[in-house]
Amino acid sequence: MKRLIFVIVFLLLSSFCFGQIINDTQLFNSDHWIYDSMYKLGKEQKVLGFYENSMLSAGELKFYLKQIDYDSLSPSGKTTYDQVYNLLYSDSNLIPKLKPVFEDQAFKFYINLIANPEVYYKSNEDIPWSFRYCLFDNFLTSPMLFGFSNFVTIETDPFFGKSNNGAIKPDNITNMPYRDGDLEFMFIRFSYGSTGLYFDNWGINFNISKQGYTIGNTKLGSIFYNKTFETDAFAQLNIYSKSFKYTGNIVQVDYTKYLFLHELEFILFKNLKFAIMEGSQLCNPAELRFTVPFMFMHQYSAWTEYSRSSDETPYGEEKFCAYFGMLLEWTPVKNTRLYLIYAQNEIQIPSERHGIGDLYPDSLGFQFGADVSVPFGNNAYLNFELEGIYASPYLYIKHTPLASLFRDRHDNLSSDRIKSWVGSPFGPDMIGGHLGFAYESIGKWKAGIAYNLLAKGENDFDMFNEMVTLDNQSKGGENPNGYEDGDYYGYYPPTSYRLGRDYDEARDDALNMLPTGTIQYTNQIILNGEYRLNKHLKFNAQALYSIIQNFGHTENALEHGIECSLSMTYNLF
């Protein structure tokens, strides 16, 4: 026991955070503070860059930082600029310095140890925790970076942290694994190899990463593609200039399906940005044709090529899902950003609205918001956030679980199933909103208050367990449409109709665009804060009060309670 206490204390006293980069190809994960800082600088000068998607390389962020006119910034803006500059250019006098294990003129190897102990409390055991795995970070992380000149970075971040099975338990009190079933089997989530070339007017980066990609800088998680989507790997190509960027992704969701995703972005008039995204999820061996840039992938009509006749199966599009989205950002006035994100995996045009075509639900969602960051004094900001989000009942959902836009993985240590949607962590079938206000003293402390509202319908992961059993053949009769005896997924309206559901009932289900069933209403008031005692020690805290009506989608069931969390990070160097 004494040895264990000694090891924990030693790790706490010898941990430190990355404060420098090893070359321009190093990537910053989606939670890094640098993205919000870049937005503050851009909003102050009414300009936009292509930093709404993360993870980005240091070289690309340097390119966008050069577009900022330092002399015209406010005192708070200059302090923020200095922080970003010192990080990207590794000013060792102002930021924590890494201790290299080995380096020469062409090669660098750095290893680090980050300790982040957290403690939790909640007053109502029935209300789920507001986070998955941990609130801020894992208990221990040991990033390892390999840099080759200024052209290649390889990083992997093994961690010692809690599994989903351990984190969801009502009596969970910490992010440190301390009992059977607590240890997370997926002990590396952030890992990548990155290479690129960077010039004065444009740049290119190619990386292969594990997971953590995000499209859109939002408060409630991106409706289109969010960092909470757990994937096996993705390969990404970024080519960018001041006014145009192309991003191509090949995402291996798991061994059964690949998502090919292309994004074109344009900056108009410096303060207006428009992006269009198109994707194809293929539940077959990967195909080269879906990787071709600037192709309208819908022209392949892949939903017909990977479908079987309704005479053979009730599913139709059982191995393919088309995905489409748009993004708009605008800084109409100084210090203010407006944004809109649209996502869609199924929509019926008027000419298709007849017969079986009238049973296909429009599967779409959108997210809109405004964030304002007003410089206050010499080294502070007042931040205001307003966001709304909507997901139709069948967003992300197709005829079969295989074709739907989600991941279902198995945790080998805890025998747990971990599911994640491609976009919003709240999934489909919901309407939500966020309102927040915060004061931030740059590099010292910040405090904020927020209110979240979520109206959640009954369509979620559980619907994939809804099976229809056909057994008439074994009794000497016939099944609907002559299908073989067996169990079939019956949650999707056109499929349920083919399996014997009444047409009008299936049609009403498909045409409904509001949250379904008994709607669960969640109201949350959130207080959060951060205090940096000195260069070495930082604390984070959050307190949350929830009131949930129709809890568990049970009429008139009411639950309420508080949740508190405290985190400490200690930097030795």
Side-chain angles (χ1 to χ4, degrees), residues 246 262 264 278-280 288-300:
Y246 165 77
H262 299 270
L264 302 178
E278 187 189 17
S280 295
L288 192 60
R289 60 176 172 164
F290 293 110
T291 67
V292 179
F294 302 109
M295 289 292 289
F296 183 56
M297 290 187 290
H298 216 61
Q299 69 180 334
Y300 293 134

Side-chain angles (χ1 to χ4, degrees), residues 428-445:
D429 201 16
M430 58 87 179
I431 301 173
H434 168 87
L435 177 64
F437 175 79
Y439 175 86
E440 174 184 1
S441 178
I442 303 172
K444 297 179 181 178
W445 64 275

Side-chain angles (χ1 to χ4, degrees), residues 251-266:
V251 183
Q252 184 177 355
V253 181
D254 57 29
Y255 72 95
T256 64
K257 49 187 172 183
Y258 289 83
L259 175 60
F260 300 86
L261 187 61
H262 299 270
E263 181 177 10
L264 302 178
E265 297 183 79
F266 304 88

